[in-house]
Amino acid sequence: MKHASPPHDSSITHVTGESEYVDDRTMLAGELFVGCFYLKVAHAEIDAIDTSAALKIPGVAAIVTAKDVAHNAWGPIFQDQPIIADKVTEFAGEVLAVVGATTPEALRRGLAAIKIRHRTRPAILTIGEAITRKSFIGGERFIRRGDVDKALNDAPHRMSGKLVIKGADHFYLENQSAVAYPKEAGQMEVHSSTQHPTETQHVVAEALGVNFSDVVCIVKRLGGGFGGKESQSSPIAAYAALVANKTKRAARIVLTKDDDMIMTGKRNPFEIHYEVGFDKKGNILALRSRLYSDGGAYADLSTAIMERAMLHSDNAYFIANVEVIGQVCKTNCHPHTAFRGFGGPKGVAVIEGIIEDIARELKLDALDIRKSNVYREGHDVTHYGQVVENNRLPSLFNELEKTSDYRRRRSDISLFNHNVLTATNRFSPGAETLRGLSMTAVKFGISFTTKFLNQGNALVQVHRDGSIQVSTGAVEMGQGVNTRIAMLVAEEFGVSLDTIRVMTTSTEKNANTSPTAASTGTDINGAAAVLAAQKIKQRLSALALKLAIISPENWPSKTAGLGSFPEIEIDTLDDSPGLTDFSGNKIVIPRRKLSNVSSNNTATGQLKNAERFSISFPQLVNEAYLSRISLGEYGHHRTENLGFNKLTGQGQAFQYFSQGAALSEVEVNRHSGEIKVRRVDILMDVGRPINESLDIGQVSGAFVQGMGWVTTENLVYDNEGYLLSHSPSTYKIPSVQDTPREFNITLDHNPGNKANIRGTKAVGEPPLLLAISVWSAVKDAIRYVSERDADHLAFNRTHLLPIPATAEQTLRHLDPHLFTAPVIK
């Protein structure tokens, strides 16, 4: 049964306030509030922690330190991070003690009463310092193709530069939180706001010193995750569980926004050094990129993030000679982690920025350079050796160029900026702003680049009334994965969507799951659910065939209780009739399908005077139950045709590519540096969408979040590595006033995609990278000043516009001579 675009399954409960999050769970008698004690310095040696005064405060029930942790090490790739620090702290905000108290006030007083003696140690706080001191996490990684040295030397034009990309906070509305309930025999039930229930289960179990099977992690939904709860939610849950285990009382931890931002890692900051060679038409002949990322104090996911940045350094463009080198730096910052897009935005930003700079250098239109370099037939193999199949990139550029009226708008902006820059008084009306325009693309690989993560499982249970429960490892965090999975299962069974209930995610029903990340939630878990549904459907099909040739008086619903008719036996391997007509809550079998089923197709059967046999889905299900036919099934999906060799940097890294293009027009205030996004046009390839409304929501939300990253979201630290911008008052995410004044989103229906379940394409992360077009449009606006002024051109060749392009940074690049302070490098 096809469904249009039903709303998010929690839309009504969100609006009415009924949706349950972790902190909405009813407090139990004796339940404790949990909080964390940490230092505000980046690097310290701990001489002593005195908790005696804190334990005397009325209401303080327990204090947990490193000595209470059975296995005090965790990490999603390398177990290099303590759950609770002991002798040394490596970043400001690293937890040294966890307090459990009966009231929030007692918790506050208990944390304040902890005394600590420590010695501050020298800290590494920047990528530059880490490079100088050779402070690294893991070794260098390489992806190479062609002869880069020769191609650079032979290129008619050559350019080099460094792009600085700062971090960004996830700023989810539901902060890190968990509730732990101690059970009998040392078991623990944890309700956590996590994207990775399995990892949370494992970290909690190891911290407690119990088997994985003794811990159940349950996730109803998240109030946002964006990657920030892929790994770093695990120790948060462990803090609650450690207190619960010590006191044998339920324990609840809900970080404040301030503590959350101070303690948790961000999108990795990057510094990217590059050399590029190109011809007079802007064709890129060679590219060498050296990527350095700030991993923070511990590895977390930074090595995998670097890998994806390297894999996306080509973005939408074929480059014959490429060398990409990646190195993660170890600093004394909070360990940085996954963020929507993972490392992809960093690789895409540098190549898109290079193209804008080539356009400025050659005085050509950047769109023409992009179209000249885009992947196309004959030039469709990436630098890591994967063919770009189902390539929509050329058509996306061409179509969006037409529908957005690019050429006319480019002409209009050029005239507008000419008039502004030739005005006699820069403060006169109409001369305050410049405009910029840029179209960028995205080619985002869909799959985990670690092969074993590309698997998922699902449990489908059909009940006697025909209603269906589906359990998977997917976590609903606002993206609508539950709605999409429900739609896939409903379509498979041919039933109405309101009969499907996607259950709370729990590790006791779906074990050994992958995180809901890498835009694979529907791909992996939806495919597993469909596989489970197909197994049940096969059995129901076989039963329907038997019922069609048996008189209704002899059906199990009439005879099973009495035992007056032989039980119906089915051959579960027999799908020769090829029944596919599960639709409209009915199963229909045409007469021709039954010709070879049985020689007993006589007057006692169901087709004596009819051309077809039909039975309602609930009735068929009930007959199956009475025939002792299983109505539950487990499905396991593994993504095939993956084979990326991390050592050689070559192979099939992704199952397919989600692709899109965006045109952004901005207005930049010449006096304040303030940026306004006037208009955005997006054309996004989503394959054959499962739910168009949800896809449009994902595109718009991802783009606006990406806008914040490239313009306003600026992290500010003090000289001790302590985050100063740790609240909404000091950290500016986009508001409704920052959204594009005109926002046009079109989904490019692509029936040619065959790689994924039902031909759909993931849309969670890729559109965020299209927001780089806003940053590129700001660069375009600045270009008009550079072309007029040789001093501006020289400055902007040397000091590339960083990310985020804050008002201050934009103003520095518009009028560098007004600033005496050095530019951020």
Side-chain angles (χ1 to χ4, degrees):
M1 179 181 291
K2 297 284 185 180
H3 301 275
S5 290
H8 192 291
D9 68 333
S10 299
S11 56
I12 294 176
T13 56
H14 284 352
V15 172
T16 60
E18 295 177 74
S19 294
E20 181 183 281
Y21 296 88
V22 170
D23 199 30
D24 293 321
R25 298 186 63 79
T26 303
M27 294 280 293
L28 298 184
E31 185 170 320
L32 300 175
F33 296 90
V34 176
C36 300
F37 174 82
Y38 56 81
L39 291 175
K40 295 183 178 181
V41 296
H43 195 195
E45 288 188 25
I46 309 304
D47 294 324
I49 299 177
D50 184 358
T51 62
S52 57
L55 285 168
K56 294 177 182 177
I57 291 175
V60 173
I63 296 179
V64 172
T65 59
K67 63 182 174 57
D68 298 297
V69 185
H71 178 72
N72 196 18
W74 77 280
I77 299 177
F78 313 111
Q79 285 204 341
D80 63 339
Q81 183 170 353
I83 294 172
I84 299 178
D86 187 13
K87 300 299 184 183
V88 177
T89 60
E90 296 281 355
F91 65 94
E94 185 166 13
V95 174
L96 281 160
V98 179
V99 178
T102 56
T103 66
E105 177 60 20
L107 175 60
R108 184 190 66 77
R109 293 181 60 201
L111 289 169
I114 295 176
K115 298 177 182 178
I116 185 167
R117 285 191 294 109
H118 70 280
R119 288 166 288 156
T120 301
R121 308 300 300 160
I124 299 173
L125 299 177
T126 67
I127 291 174
E129 291 177 82
I131 295 171
T132 299
R133 295 173 62 174
K134 300 188 185 306
S135 177
F136 300 129
I137 297 172
E140 281 190 333
R141 297 279 296 276
F142 302 89
I143 300 177
R144 295 187 175 102
R145 175 171 65 186
D147 190 335
V148 174
D149 287 331
K150 183 178 187 305
L152 284 172
N153 290 331
D154 293 346
H157 299 272
R158 192 166 173 175
M159 182 187 299
S160 62
K162 179 179 79 171
L163 175 60
V164 174
I165 304 175
K166 296 181 70 175
D169 190 78
H170 304 83
F171 215 91
Y172 27 70
L173 293 182
E174 180 195 26
N175 299 335
Q176 297 277 7
S177 52
V179 183
Y181 301 101
K183 300 292 184 179
E184 63 183 34
Q187 298 174 74
M188 189 69 65
E189 179 182 299
V190 178
H191 292 253
S192 173
S193 183
T194 176
Q195 294 173 236
H196 199 348
T198 291
E199 183 177 32
T200 298
Q201 172 199 20
H202 294 177
V203 171
V204 168
E206 290 176 339
L208 299 180
V210 300
N211 294 329
F212 293 165
S213 58
D214 291 323
V215 176
V216 175
C217 180
I218 300 171
V219 186
K220 175 61 178 175
R221 60 168 60 85
L222 311 186
F226 312 118
K229 297 174 181 176
E230 180 175 344
S231 60
Q232 299 203 353
S233 54
S234 298
I236 304 298
Y239 300 147
L242 286 162
V243 171
N245 187 59
K246 189 167 188 175
T247 62
K248 305 307 176 188
R249 297 161 72 174
R252 175 182 308 237
I253 183 169
V254 181
L255 297 185
T256 65
K257 180 57 69 180
D258 300 272
D259 281 347
D260 193 310
M261 292 185 71
I262 291 165
M263 292 166 56
T264 61
K266 319 299 176 194
R267 186 185 291 280
N268 294 68
F270 268 64
E271 285 187 9
I272 303 175
H273 304 254
Y274 66 85
E275 294 178 88
V276 60
F278 51 98
D279 64 21
K280 64 181 181 180
K281 294 182 178 179
N283 294 309
I284 299 175
L285 306 175
L287 173 66
R288 173 178 286 123
S289 294
R290 183 176 288 272
L291 284 64
Y292 293 100
S293 74
D294 182 347
Y298 303 105
D300 201 272
L301 289 162
S302 290
T303 53
I305 290 164
M306 173 59 75
E307 179 178 82
R308 188 170 278 266
M310 296 169 67
L311 290 167
H312 284 76
S313 292
D314 59 330
N315 191 27
Y317 313 106
F318 176 82
I319 306 170
N321 302 282
V322 183
E323 181 179 59
V324 184
I325 306 165
Q327 177 65 68
V328 179
C329 297
K330 178 178 171 60
T331 68
N332 293 109
C333 295
H334 28 211
H336 296 299
T337 191
F339 199 136
R340 197 173 193 171
F342 220 52
K346 274 67 74 110
V348 171
V350 70
I351 189 63
E352 295 292 353
I354 285 171
I355 288 176
E356 291 290 332
D357 292 338
I358 290 173
R360 181 190 62 200
E361 191 78 9
L362 298 177
K363 295 183 170 54
L364 297 175
D365 192 303
L367 177 57
D368 292 330
I369 295 176
R370 289 183 168 97
K371 291 172 67 175
S372 179
N373 286 282
V374 73
Y375 278 108
R376 58 194 181 275
E377 188 174 353
H379 292 80
D380 57 358
V381 180
T382 67
H383 56 305
Y384 47 92
Q386 179 168 346
V387 175
V388 182
E389 297 177 340
N390 190 226
N391 180 16
R392 307 282 285 189
L393 292 165
S395 62
L396 290 170
F397 271 133
N398 291 332
E399 181 66 20
L400 189 57
E401 179 184 349
K402 294 175 185 175
T403 58
S404 66
D405 202 8
Y406 176 86
R407 298 297 171 179
R408 179 193 61 78
R409 291 169 62 193
R410 167 59 71 195
S411 177
D412 289 349
I413 284 176
S414 295
L415 178 60
F416 177 89
N417 287 343
H418 172 77
N419 292 335
V420 167
L421 293 172
T422 55
T424 55
N425 183 358
R426 62 179 293 170
F427 294 96
S428 61
E432 303 97 333
T433 61
L434 289 167
R435 292 178 182 172
L437 189 70
S438 181
M439 185 185 296
T440 65
V442 64
K443 173 185 63 63
F444 194 86
I446 305 298
S447 290
F448 291 98
T449 53
T450 300
K451 189 174 181 179
F452 61 76
L453 292 175
N454 294 287
Q455 60 176 309
N457 60 70
L459 178 64
V460 175
Q461 304 274 20
V462 181
H463 293 272
R464 290 180 67 182
D465 63 353
S467 62
I468 300 168
Q469 291 179 332
V470 182
S471 301
T472 76
V475 173
E476 175 58 64
M477 48 191 168
Q479 81 279 41
V481 67
N482 284 354
T483 303
R484 289 183 172 91
I485 291 173
M487 291 178 69
L488 288 170
V489 174
E491 181 178 317
E492 192 64 37
F493 280 118
V495 298
S496 58
L497 188 61
D498 60 10
T499 65
I500 310 293
R501 176 67 66 187
V502 178
M503 305 305 293
T504 296
T505 307
S506 172
T507 56
E508 68 178 331
K509 289 180 289 186
N510 300 97
N512 305 316
T513 58
S514 297
T516 302
S519 299
T520 63
T522 300
D523 291 11
I524 290 174
N525 296 282
V530 168
L531 286 172
Q534 287 173 342
K535 294 177 184 179
I536 299 171
K537 182 180 173 181
Q538 185 183 43
R539 293 196 288 269
L540 292 176
S541 297
L543 175 62
L545 283 168
K546 294 295 180 73
L547 293 176
I549 59 172
I550 297 173
S551 176
E553 290 79 14
N554 293 323
W555 283 7
S557 56
K558 300 294 193 302
T559 63
L562 300 172
S564 58
F565 193 82
E567 189 172 56
I568 297 177
E569 301 288 346
I570 64 168
D571 182 353
T572 57
L573 300 178
D574 181 15
D575 60 353
S576 57
L579 295 177
T580 57
D581 195 5
F582 275 63
S583 62
N585 289 337
K586 289 185 177 181
I587 293 81
V588 179
I589 309 173
R591 181 191 289 274
R592 58 185 172 80
K593 293 282 188 180
L594 294 161
S595 58
N596 297 319
V597 174
S598 171
S599 59
N600 294 324
N601 187 7
T602 65
T604 58
Q606 298 302 296
L607 296 183
K608 179 180 178 182
N609 298 310
E611 290 300 320
R612 66 178 191 167
F613 165 76
S614 69
I615 184 172
S616 72
F617 184 77
Q619 187 178 9
L620 178 61
V621 167
N622 190 52
E623 299 294 342
Y625 168 76
L626 295 170
S627 300
R628 295 192 295 175
I629 295 172
S630 173
L631 292 167
E633 195 57 76
Y634 175 88
H636 179 265
H637 169 78
R638 48 180 280 170
T639 305
E640 300 294 348
N641 302 317
L642 296 175
F644 178 68
N645 187 322
K646 294 173 181 285
L647 299 179
T648 63
Q650 295 291 306
Q652 189 85 1
F654 306 110
Q655 184 186 19
Y656 63 91
F657 297 99
S658 286
Q659 300 160 69
L663 177 64
S664 291
E665 180 180 337
V666 302
E667 190 168 76
V668 180
N669 190 294
R670 298 173 67 193
H671 311 311
S672 67
E674 184 182 14
I675 299 163
K676 291 292 184 184
V677 182
R678 289 169 50 83
R679 176 176 166 181
V680 170
D681 297 86
I682 294 176
L683 181 59
M684 194 74 209
D685 167 29
V686 294
R688 296 174 55 230
I690 296 172
N691 187 309
E692 292 193 25
S693 297
L694 290 178
D695 285 352
I696 290 173
Q698 286 289 284
V699 172
S700 57
F703 187 89
V704 172
Q705 187 173 48
M707 280 176 48
W709 167 57
V710 300
T711 58
T712 63
E713 296 186 34
N714 192 33
L715 295 165
V716 180
Y717 298 83
D718 67 12
N719 292 332
E720 293 289 341
Y722 176 72
L723 181 66
L724 298 175
S725 54
H726 54 73
S727 70
S729 62
T730 53
Y731 184 78
K732 188 180 186 316
I733 64 171
S735 72
V736 68
Q737 297 298 325
D738 298 306
T739 56
R741 295 300 184 265
E742 184 178 344
F743 203 0
N744 304 309
I745 299 174
T746 303
L747 301 183
D748 176 43
H749 289 235
N750 173 10
N753 180 45
K754 307 295 185 184
N756 195 30
I757 181 166
R758 236 206 64 180
T760 186
K761 284 193 175 185
V763 74
E765 294 174 286
L768 182 140
L769 285 72
L770 293 176
I772 290 169
S773 61
V774 173
W775 173 70
S776 295
V778 175
K779 287 171 64 72
D780 181 63
I782 294 170
R783 174 175 68 91
Y784 284 93
V785 180
S786 299
E787 289 181 348
R788 186 198 64 167
D789 189 326
D791 290 338
H792 283 73
L793 180 59
F795 175 86
N796 287 311
R797 277 178 175 156
T798 309
H799 304 282
L800 301 182
L801 183 69
I803 292 176
T806 60
E808 178 186 342
Q809 288 295 332
T810 302
L811 199 57
R812 283 181 179 273
H813 285 74
L814 285 170
D815 282 302
H817 61 279
L818 298 178
F819 293 83
T820 56
V823 170
I824 292 176
K825 296 183 180 179

